[in-house]
Amino acid sequence: MATPPVFVAGQVLTAAQMNAIGMWEVKTQTAFTSANTVTIDNIFTSDFTNYLIKLTGTATGGSAVTTQYRVGGVAATTNYNTQAAEMLNATAWTVYKNTAQTNFDAGSFAVAQSSMDLNIFAPALAAQTNHFSLTSYAGATATVPGYMIRSGNHSTATAYDGIAISFSAAATGTYTVYGYSK
């Protein structure tokens, strides 16, 4: 089989061929409009070890983006730790860390188009959940880009099945969730 797999109409696929695919879309692209929180429940399962959430959109006046893990529709509100590096409309990096917070500081959305990749490692296991986000956006104009890197964990050893993504100012955009185990 070619890499990446190339399937043809009518082809019978073996389990080995299907298992060779590294990443699966588990939640199709979903739009949100003027939202302060997007809740994605029943998404983390034992089917995949790790997840990637791809977000794109804009926010009125710029918006901090934070996340909280959820189980049974209830958000975990303690023990989030973040290490951050960002270059926002400048030529120098700013770095900081936050510990024992009520959410994960995932980055920001701007007035212009923003893109975020949020990687989540082992959220469905009853262990510490690690996460990593990359955000790219244009400031007031497309010629003033910003870049953010966030790494951290939720140190509570709980298996989660969902996530809430919150915006400090109303945001409009889309998200897609992918699962992978390799």
Side-chain angles (χ1 to χ4, degrees), residues 18-26 43-52 119-125 177-182:
M18 295 304 293
N19 289 334
I21 298 171
M23 187 175 287
W24 288 91
E25 183 180 272
V26 295
I43 196 72
F44 304 140
T45 68
S46 60
D47 290 341
F48 300 99
T49 306
N50 307 309
Y51 292 83
L52 169 64
N119 287 277
I120 303 167
F121 306 100
L125 298 179
V177 182
Y178 299 90
Y180 62 100
S181 294
K182 298 179 181 182

Side-chain angles (χ1 to χ4, degrees), residues 9 20 40 56 58 61 76 78-79 82 97 105-106 121 131 143 145 159 164 167 181:
I40 313 168
T56 60
T58 60
T78 60
N79 298 327
T82 303
K97 73 175 182 178
D105 170 11
F121 306 100
H131 37 247
T143 61
F167 306 93
S181 294

Side-chain angles (χ1 to χ4, degrees), residues 33-108:
T33 305
S34 297
N36 286 98
T37 301
V38 172
T39 302
I40 313 168
D41 284 330
N42 303 310
I43 196 72
F44 304 140
T45 68
S46 60
D47 290 341
F48 300 99
T49 306
N50 307 309
Y51 292 83
L52 169 64
I53 301 174
K54 298 189 77 63
L55 290 159
T56 60
T58 60
T60 56
S63 174
V65 179
T66 60
T67 65
Q68 291 179 318
Y69 296 114
R70 296 167 55 88
V71 62
V74 177
T77 59
T78 60
N79 298 327
Y80 292 91
N81 305 295
T82 303
Q83 185 74 38
E86 55 189 40
M87 187 177 295
L88 309 175
N89 309 323
T91 58
W93 286 96
T94 301
V95 297
Y96 64 88
K97 73 175 182 178
N98 292 322
T99 58
Q101 299 297 303
T102 60
N103 54 42
F104 172 55
D105 170 11
S108 295

